[in-house]
Amino acid sequence: MKKKKDAVTLDDFTALYEKYGPMVLRRCRFLLKDEEKALDAMQDVFVRILEKRTTLSSVCSSLFYTVATRVCLNKIRADKIRSGPSLENLVIDIADNITANHEEVADTSALLDVIFSETKEDTREMAVLHYVDGYTLEETAEKMNMSVSGVRKRLSVLRTKALACVTMVMVLFSGFTNIGRR
């Protein structure tokens, strides 16, 4: 029966550091592409091996190479997880989106108020059922207890009114943009 070698000692560890340190550092530099991160990773490799010294019977270059690769890949993975947008940028983006969305909602609401002014309440309900909720003309007519032709006629009149309002808004905005170009 072969006798198991003694565990790696601290004296051996200094020799291992001198022997395998340059190889580990090269591997870390290659994977991490950053000198400071590579030095940190190299230290982590030796710390891990030092922590496991009681269970290691012998060491070789492939052990250091494998541990260095795993440590570096774990660091890369952790950096990807941690590297999200900065909190400041995130807050600014949210504020910009809320402001833009609020303005868009207000503009849309004002346009819809103009379109639906002097319109029967059930015509508004028909428009919502058909254009927003996606009901067919037949389903909308059934919900409103009307004929399909009646729903079609009301929506056609509403669509004509909406087109006129949008055209008017476009004309107004084109007038505003032409003011600065004179």
Side-chain angles (χ1 to χ4, degrees), residues 37-68:
K37 288 181 181 180
L39 290 170
D40 288 343
M42 181 180 86
Q43 289 177 354
D44 288 347
V45 168
F46 281 95
V47 166
R48 287 190 185 188
I49 289 177
L50 184 62
E51 288 172 345
K52 301 289 185 187
R53 72 179 181 270
T54 57
T55 58
L56 295 173
S57 59
S58 64
V59 292
C60 59
S61 62
S62 63
L63 172 69
F64 282 96
Y65 190 85
T66 302
V67 173

Side-chain angles (χ1 to χ4, degrees), residues 104-121:
E104 186 177 312
V105 167
D107 292 344
T108 304
S109 179
L111 182 61
L112 288 174
D113 286 344
V114 170
I115 292 170
F116 286 119
S117 67
E118 302 173 11
T119 306
K120 294 180 180 179
E121 184 62 36

Side-chain angles (χ1 to χ4, degrees), residues 122-168:
D122 57 347
T123 304
R124 179 182 280 217
E125 189 175 339
M126 272 185 248
V128 169
L129 286 172
H130 185 65
Y131 295 117
V132 177
D133 295 340
Y135 284 93
T136 63
L137 288 173
E138 292 79 15
E139 293 168 332
T140 304
E142 186 179 315
K143 291 261 187 206
M144 299 303 299
N145 294 324
M146 293 178 65
S147 67
V148 174
S149 63
V151 170
R152 186 179 292 119
K153 175 71 174 165
R154 285 228 202 140
L155 291 178
S156 174
V157 169
L158 185 64
R159 201 169 31 253
T160 303
K161 186 177 179 183
L163 187 58
C165 286
V166 170
T167 303
M168 181 180 69

